[in-house]
Amino acid sequence: MKNPEQEEIPGKTNNTKKILAIVVAVVVIGVAIGVAYHYLAPQPVKEQTLAVYPGPAGANNSEHLLGGCVIAEAYNPNLNSSNIAAMDQFVAYMLSPEVQYTCEQATGFIPISSHNVTGTDVPSIYSKSNATVQITYFNSLSPSDYKTTEKIISNFEAKYTNIKIKATNELATDIVTQVETDRSSSRTTPIVMTIDNLDVGTLASGSYQGASYLANMTGYKQLIPANVIPTVTNLTETELSIYNSVPFITQLINTPLVWIDMTALNSIGITHEPQNYTALLSDAKALDKKYGRGMINMQGHGGASTATELYQWIVQFGGNPVTFNSTNDVKAMYAMYNLSAYFSPEYKTSYWATYKGLASDKYAMMDYQWPGSVDLKTIGMNTSALTGNNSVLNVSIKAISEGVFIRDPVPWISEWQILMDNAWTTIITDGNSQNYSTIAHTLSTENQDMFNHLVSSYNITVADNYEQGVYHPITA
């Protein structure tokens, strides 16, 4: 049954008669074709201004997904206190303002301390009189971002001459495998890792012979700098309630923002970014009417990017994305279905790094793009608006202050992403007529498939906990 409060997707206007009229006008009159063509598909403006903001709020809240990397130490019972102190020294250095701001300038990741913090003080943990120790360091940043890390490590080794770092850039999944392998051996390798906050769940939730794969950094308050963003402290404290330990510390923050061609919005009288779903839908309609095509772009090519964007969307509608089929999950997907009538054709291929359609007039709004993925030097737009309070850094900090959450770091999140992508394909990409009952049925099917996967891959207890909502976004 259709919800009377929900809007149906309007059918697209048939342009056949318009095109025929243009052809006749050209043949008979030989003029005015330029005006008519502009009505159907306006040419790109000569100069477009890029703007960025935290994005529209859903029906329930405006909380933002917190991405980025955490730093952690592998647990190894064979390590001595000197090895552990050396690891702590390296972690403290990687969390220091000096390193944080170097990373922010090179990668777009946000420093964990407030943006006006200066200074390079790092607590003295590993004495210069101690023996030389070598630490294996795994890093899952992109290869280009990792180049900055290499310079940081060189600076560390110059300052702490008795700590050597053997660093490698690895896929997050490979880091997990190598830590698990090391833990099951009798090696005495001190291991520190910078790993995506989603992938760390496999190590944080897993154990070998009853012991965790990650060390308990209970002394984390000594390791982190002053004036840390409250979100980071809150998340760290939340870990204690989940794991009864502190297995990781937020290191590099990345929160998705919305990127807009403000020139396009201004051209139809829109002077402010849409602040909520209702305004977003209204602006989408106005842009569609102006340009004759959808101008809202979603990361809908499938895979992790689509599932990630839907995760934030569903949370903002008060749902629990992991379970798929709560009442608010269904409402969120129905709202997305309504909005999809105004999607740019680009949405079927868009991914985190495909944002250049803004500059080429393929769409006017790129919904929820990670700042670290946007190379402002090559985007081809006027970026003068991205200064001062409207800079990417300051807008990101504003987003964090409005409330954030992280995806529950569970080892089966990749399977959830596959199933969420299945739901997206059925409800949005296939383009079939939908209503509340068909959308709810699709989401319930994915819920059952997730339950079955947990039973077969884990056990009935995990599956039951899933069904009862034990796994959910962690809010800070």
Side-chain angles (χ1 to χ4, degrees):
M1 179 179 295
K2 299 176 182 176
N3 187 321
E5 296 180 356
Q6 298 296 326
E7 173 194 5
E8 293 293 342
I9 285 192
K12 293 293 184 183
T13 302
N14 190 328
N15 289 323
T16 303
K17 293 181 179 180
K18 292 180 183 178
I19 295 172
L20 179 60
I22 293 169
V23 173
V24 172
V26 171
V27 173
V28 177
I29 303 174
V31 295
I33 187 172
V35 176
Y37 178 75
H38 181 76
Y39 173 74
L40 288 176
Q43 295 298 301
V45 292
K46 291 183 179 180
E47 183 177 271
Q48 299 155 278
T49 299
L50 180 68
V52 62
Y53 83 116
N60 286 60
N61 63 70
S62 60
E63 294 175 354
H64 303 276
L65 176 64
L66 195 68
C69 294
V70 300
I71 194 165
E73 301 172 355
Y75 171 69
N76 188 323
N78 298 313
L79 295 182
N80 58 40
S81 59
S82 182
N83 293 151
I84 295 172
M87 291 196 298
D88 286 349
Q89 186 69 74
F90 182 58
V91 169
Y93 183 81
M94 296 301 284
L95 294 174
S96 67
E98 175 185 13
V99 172
Q100 290 277 305
Y101 283 91
T102 299
C103 287
E104 188 274 327
Q105 293 173 4
T107 68
F109 286 98
I110 307 166
I112 64 169
S113 54
S114 55
H115 65 285
N116 60 351
V117 170
T118 58
T120 59
D121 290 340
V122 180
S124 297
I125 300 173
Y126 195 69
S127 173
K128 294 181 179 180
S129 63
N130 286 356
T132 298
V133 61
Q134 178 174 280
I135 295 173
T136 294
Y137 175 55
F138 297 127
N139 188 303
S140 67
L141 291 174
S142 68
S144 59
D145 291 341
Y146 181 66
K147 291 180 181 179
T148 300
T149 300
E150 289 179 319
K151 296 178 182 178
I152 291 171
I153 291 172
S154 295
N155 293 338
F156 174 83
E157 290 182 322
K159 186 173 183 178
Y160 301 92
T161 55
N162 56 346
I163 305 177
K164 305 301 180 183
I165 307 298
K166 180 183 177 182
T168 57
N169 187 224
E170 306 275 358
L171 293 173
T173 51
D174 291 340
I175 294 177
V176 170
T177 300
Q178 293 195 59
V179 171
E180 289 175 337
T181 300
D182 187 88
R183 177 70 185 84
S184 61
S185 71
S186 57
R187 299 173 187 169
T188 56
T189 308
I191 296 176
V192 177
M193 70 204 80
T194 291
I195 186 171
D196 190 281
N197 68 1
L198 195 58
D199 294 280
V200 76
T202 302
L203 296 173
S205 301
S207 65
Y208 177 75
Q209 294 184 349
S212 174
Y213 286 112
L214 298 179
N216 182 3
M217 293 187 285
T218 53
Y220 74 92
K221 291 183 179 179
Q222 178 188 14
L223 306 181
I224 60 177
N227 300 308
V228 168
I229 295 173
T231 297
V232 174
T233 302
N234 294 343
L235 283 175
T236 307
E237 295 293 340
T238 301
E239 289 178 46
L240 285 169
S241 64
I242 297 174
Y243 304 106
N244 294 317
S245 68
V246 179
F248 54 84
I249 301 172
T250 298
Q251 179 187 3
L252 301 170
I253 297 175
N254 203 9
T255 190
L257 306 174
V258 173
W259 303 77
I260 300 176
D261 174 4
M262 280 305 299
T263 308
L265 270 67
N266 292 161
S267 70
I268 56 175
I270 300 174
T271 59
H272 296 91
E273 305 90 344
Q275 298 300 307
N276 51 51
Y277 163 70
T278 302
L280 175 62
L281 186 60
S282 176
D283 289 354
K285 292 178 183 178
L287 288 165
D288 184 80
K289 182 177 180 180
K290 165 73 173 181
Y291 287 88
R293 65 185 186 277
M295 293 294 283
I296 305 297
N297 192 42
M298 308 292 286
Q299 299 177 83
H301 93 300
S305 63
T306 301
T308 298
E309 186 152 10
L310 288 172
Y311 198 106
Q312 169 151 317
W313 181 268
I314 292 172
V315 170
Q316 290 186 337
F317 274 76
N320 179 3
V322 177
T323 60
F324 292 99
N325 65 345
S326 72
T327 299
N328 286 335
D329 295 345
V330 177
K331 288 181 178 179
M333 195 61 80
Y334 202 98
M336 181 65 75
Y337 175 68
N338 286 336
L339 185 64
S340 70
Y342 310 100
F343 281 177
S344 162
E346 296 289 302
Y347 92 91
K348 290 187 177 181
T349 57
S350 280
Y351 190 59
W352 285 324
T354 56
Y355 52 83
K356 294 183 180 178
L358 280 167
S360 60
D361 198 43
K362 292 181 178 179
Y363 46 84
M365 182 181 296
M366 177 68 171
D367 197 34
Y368 291 120
Q369 175 79 346
W370 298 104
S373 301
V374 179
D375 186 350
L376 298 180
K377 295 185 293 295
T378 62
I379 198 169
M381 298 183 75
N382 176 11
T383 59
S384 60
L386 302 179
T387 59
N389 291 335
N390 296 321
S391 70
V392 173
L393 175 59
N394 285 333
V395 172
S396 296
I397 292 174
K398 177 183 177 183
I400 292 174
S401 69
E402 292 177 354
V404 299
F405 58 88
I406 62 172
R407 291 160 288 184
D408 194 358
V410 290
W412 39 265
I413 196 69
S414 59
E415 180 67 19
W416 174 86
Q417 289 179 161
I418 292 171
L419 296 177
M420 180 54 81
D421 187 45
N422 291 343
W424 169 268
T425 300
T426 300
I427 297 169
I428 305 297
T429 307
D430 286 353
N432 298 323
S433 178
Q434 302 285 346
N435 58 37
Y436 244 94
S437 61
T438 58
I439 288 178
H441 174 74
T442 297
L443 295 176
S444 290
T445 298
E446 305 306 335
N447 168 273
Q448 185 62 53
D449 288 347
M450 188 74 249
F451 181 89
N452 294 341
H453 172 78
L454 295 177
V455 171
S456 61
S457 300
Y458 298 89
N459 53 59
I460 188 63
T461 300
V462 172
D464 284 339
N465 285 340
Y466 162 79
E467 197 63 35
Q468 294 167 14
V470 171
Y471 309 107
H472 53 77
I474 299 174
T475 303

